[in-house]
Amino acid sequence: MIQARTEWQVIAEASDGSEAVQNAEELRPDLILLDIDLTKLNGIEAARKMRQLCSCRGGRTLMESVSQHRAGPRFLIADDHAIFAEVLRGYLEKTYTVVGVVLDGPAMVSEAIRLQPDVIVADVSMPLLNGLDAARRISKQAPNIKFIFLTMRDDPNLAASALELGPVGFVLKHSTGSELLNAIHSVLRGKPYLAPKLRAEDWVATKARARQFSKELTQRQRDIVQLYAEGLHINQIAVLLNLSNKTVEFHKHHIMRAFNLQSNADLVLFAVKQGLVSIKP
């Protein structure tokens, strides 16, 4: 077994397949070289067990690792405008590897966990689950994934809310391609990128407002408000969130009362102000 650094470093050796599996589970190496004809457990079966036991990098073969290294950072695109997403894919594939395109928030979460991309380029406003909330869920399960957010809204509070996720990029959709690449380069170096137009004069105060802004609703309430604002009925929301109709109605009633909302129109406007949905051209 070897652990990839600037130079190769051998951290353990095993004389049979069972020992190799045990070492992989304990040491979590970056790369494993396996002889197919190992005793007790052949190399193929050992690799399968390693993948089951280690959710880390240890199950990759040598050729998979070399291929990933050559490809560079792997990207997932999330945008509900299919044509825009495909154009963006073509643009990014000139430099990077794009492993997938998704069209809504839940798909962004599931594909991020399945594909483990290095970077996700996501529209802030996506159906069923907005880009920021989807990113929050992904970060809990895959904290190493980086994010570039795209939006039509030049709202510093929204940008500040995104930066609560760490060194992310926040780019306006009408920006140039070179600005998007600058954002990607910055985020890959572990530094945030914010479109100049979104910089607030008092950035500390703006971030404080954004934190309060995101804490006013629980995650469950945010989901329900977004889905209502997108025009879904109670039974549809209940199915999507695996709740009963009565539970959805209870949450809606509580939100309407807590924020003094008098009608469904008020609820839609509230969702827009909370950054959960946006009015797209």
Side-chain angles (χ1 to χ4, degrees):
M1 297 184 185
I2 54 179
Q3 187 169 14
R5 301 291 187 217
T6 305
E7 297 178 354
W8 297 118
Q9 177 186 2
V10 177
I11 60 173
E13 296 179 356
S15 58
D16 59 58
S18 296
E19 184 182 359
V21 172
Q22 182 178 352
N23 286 346
E25 184 178 9
E26 293 175 354
L27 300 175
R28 304 296 178 97
D30 294 297
L31 185 64
I32 299 172
L33 299 179
L34 288 171
D35 186 345
I36 290 180
D37 299 317
L38 289 170
T39 58
K40 294 187 179 179
L41 195 65
N42 66 59
I44 294 175
E45 291 300 320
R48 290 196 181 105
K49 287 186 175 292
M50 290 172 190
R51 287 187 183 277
Q52 293 172 356
L53 293 171
C54 305
S55 59
C56 62
R57 303 151 294 184
R60 291 203 308 249
T61 64
L62 177 59
M63 290 307 298
E64 287 172 334
S65 297
V66 171
S67 175
Q68 278 198 353
H69 176 74
R70 288 177 179 172
R74 300 160 66 249
F75 282 66
L76 175 67
I77 296 171
D79 196 297
D80 61 310
H81 288 151
I83 294 177
F84 175 83
E86 287 302 324
V87 170
L88 179 59
R89 178 176 195 156
Y91 180 74
L92 289 178
E93 283 184 334
K94 295 177 181 178
T95 309
Y96 302 107
T97 298
V98 177
V99 296
V101 174
V102 296
L103 304 178
D104 60 52
M108 172 176 158
V109 175
S110 61
E111 287 298 275
I113 301 307
R114 184 179 73 87
L115 297 172
Q116 294 290 311
D118 298 290
V119 182
I120 298 176
V121 180
D123 188 354
V124 170
S125 302
M126 286 196 298
L128 305 182
L129 182 67
N130 66 82
L132 292 181
D133 285 337
R136 291 186 182 105
R137 296 183 185 186
I138 292 167
S139 293
K140 291 179 181 179
Q141 300 184 61
N144 293 327
I145 294 179
K146 303 179 186 299
F147 297 94
I148 305 289
F149 293 106
L150 305 178
T151 182
M152 297 293 294
R153 297 176 57 192
D154 54 349
D155 183 350
N157 288 330
L158 191 61
S161 183
L163 287 174
E164 291 299 309
L165 285 163
V168 305
F170 204 85
V171 180
L172 296 175
K173 276 195 167 182
H174 57 252
S175 301
T176 63
S178 61
E179 183 172 345
L180 174 59
L181 291 179
N182 288 339
I184 291 171
H185 295 158
S186 181
V187 168
L188 287 174
R189 294 195 305 268
K191 298 180 179 180
Y193 180 91
L194 190 65
K197 191 175 181 179
L198 293 173
R199 295 190 184 279
E201 293 182 3
D202 187 350
W203 193 244
V204 175
T206 301
K207 289 186 71 175
R209 287 198 302 272
R211 282 193 291 271
Q212 180 60 38
F213 170 91
S214 63
K215 290 180 180 179
E216 288 177 345
L217 292 171
T218 66
Q219 184 59 62
R220 178 63 75 199
Q221 289 172 336
R222 290 172 68 83
D223 291 343
I224 289 174
V225 170
Q226 175 172 347
L227 294 172
Y228 262 117
E230 291 176 356
L232 275 70
H233 299 296
I234 287 176
N235 59 334
Q236 294 174 306
I237 296 173
V239 170
L240 283 170
L241 300 181
N242 196 27
L243 300 172
S244 68
N245 287 8
K246 287 185 177 181
T247 299
V248 175
E249 289 177 338
F250 170 81
H251 278 298
K252 180 187 177 185
H253 174 73
H254 177 77
I255 293 164
M256 299 280 284
R257 184 177 61 182
F259 294 94
N260 194 29
L261 306 176
Q262 304 301 318
S263 65
N264 286 338
D266 288 341
L267 186 63
V268 172
L269 290 175
F270 177 72
V272 172
K273 291 177 181 178
Q274 289 285 316
L276 300 175
V277 297
S278 66
I279 302 173
K280 296 188 176 183

